[in-house]
Amino acid sequence: MSLRALWVISHEKGENASVRFSRRFATVEHRAKTLACSTYTAVPEEGVVLQLLLTELGLSDPDKPYVALRDDCLHRQRSPALELRIDSPERGVLWPVLAITQGPLIFACLPLVDAPAEPRPPLASLLSVSQGLTFLAGLQSFLLSPGGKPDSEGLASRLAMLPAVLLQVCPLGTPLDMPQLGPPAAPTAPAILGNQKHPAWKTGFHRGRAVVNVTLVETVRSMQYGNQSRQDLWDVYGTVTCKCEVEGVLPNVTVTLTLPPNGSPLQDILVHPCVTSVDSSILTSNSVDSYDGSAFSGPYKIPFSPPLESFRLCSYTSQVPVPPILGSYHLKEEENQLLVSVTLKLHESVKNNFEYCEAHLPFFNRVQMGTVELKVSSGQIDVSKEKNLLVWGLGQKFPKSREVTMEGRISFSGSTPGPSDPLCTELTAYIKLYFKVPDMTLSGCCLDQHSVQVYSAAKPRIITSRELVSKDYFIWNSTGSAPVASGQINL
């Protein structure tokens, strides 16, 4: 495995972002150009990479909840292997750009893919992806303090050392098989380790009470148009995050994911480098391929030797038949008033028990709100006239009918212009839903205490949880005409 480029970026939620360190390897880039031929895309300047990476990670444009380049459902994000589409006269795509974030730091690299660009090979078949993530994990442990928190002075000194370190561990862009880059761990375990090799992702040793915490989070995105000429879109992305405080150099832990009898197989599964072995049939199911019913449907056993810090054990996608909340949104304009009609229906398969559930209705590109006369069948409305925003708090449960409605009118009689945005005009007005459902996943994928096995001298306390959360969950206005303007976003 070789690296075409490497970046260390600092940011504060997309603000004051800067490239703290970057390195390109000309010899590897020459090989990439030879392999790709006519499909070759050169690595752009630092500023271009910085902006594209922040956009793809959702860390830029905080005042724009929807960015077409990133949020369109037709664009499938394969985190942590990102696709950066370069908008320049040459155009092109950088893939796979690997990125790890911790606090205000982003560690990213572009490995060389020794395979034809078309058709794009599945991530599970690319050794350079797992090796690249392992390299970034070592870089992360080297630059951060032993506690994993950024230390400004320590970070600056280690960044200054990084060019010399790369000459030793990554000459000419090819990482060597050698101990990790991090500083020596504190002597928290016996010095005699037997014949066990210290893994690159292990930054030290744990001594004390054994605890294993495993969290399964499924994120659902949706675009609902309420228009027969445009098909609604949705997708589900799951991650399993672990925090294992277990004694030993190489403790063995196994997490098993199970599906209900009628559940759709998990797809696009990516695993952490610490996974020791996994059935190849688990990694071959790809959502790009047509589903023929022969894909592996579990149980998904994932054995691994965990690092000390919290880490993402695996990620996956899933095809589900319906989104959790179906909605319709109708706006009709009469002079300086808007007639609003909203219906939200919770699907019967979804647990009616939310940690929170809110619907945000922005009304940009107008003067400030005046009179708001709205009636809701459940929940309460918070009006922010300065932001031209309605927040419909639905609480923790839908009513027994599983359906809620909003009806009424809004006038815009203020003299001060409200917020502006390329969207929120006629057909591009939208509702954005925010919700979290504890102890549930949309795919039915689950884990419990009995599904986690730990082979260690001390019996650990095992904690498991799962939840369903929303991200970029939009319900678009189904009435009106699309705006006509330069630079229009095609939805």
Side-chain angles (χ1 to χ4, degrees), residues 411-434:
S411 66
F412 296 87
S413 56
S415 58
T416 305
S420 61
D421 192 272
L423 301 180
C424 287
T425 303
E426 296 189 4
L427 199 60
T428 62
Y430 61 84
I431 299 173
K432 188 173 184 181
L433 295 183
Y434 300 84

Side-chain angles (χ1 to χ4, degrees), residues 107-170:
F107 306 90
C109 69
L110 177 62
L112 175 67
V113 176
D114 191 6
E118 298 294 340
R120 182 174 291 179
L123 286 174
S125 67
L126 297 178
L127 183 60
S128 58
V129 171
S130 59
Q131 291 179 335
L133 290 173
T134 303
F135 180 83
L136 290 181
L139 178 64
Q140 182 182 25
S141 65
F142 171 71
L143 291 179
L144 299 181
S145 61
K149 296 181 179 180
D151 174 15
S152 57
E153 295 183 1
L155 178 62
S157 64
R158 290 172 184 169
L159 283 171
M161 295 167 53
L162 193 53
V165 172
L166 287 178
L167 286 176
Q168 300 179 38
V169 302
C170 190

Side-chain angles (χ1 to χ4, degrees), residues 431-452:
I431 299 173
K432 188 173 184 181
L433 295 183
Y434 300 84
F435 57 82
K436 178 189 287 189
V437 188
D439 195 26
M440 182 196 164
T441 55
L442 203 57
S443 67
C445 184
C446 66
L447 56 86
D448 55 31
Q449 292 182 351
H450 302 291
S451 67
V452 181

Side-chain angles (χ1 to χ4, degrees), residues 182-193:
T188 57
I192 300 176
L193 304 178

Side-chain angles (χ1 to χ4, degrees), residues 46 71 105 159 294 354 362:
E46 288 182 359
D71 299 324
L105 292 179
L159 283 171
S294 62
F354 293 82

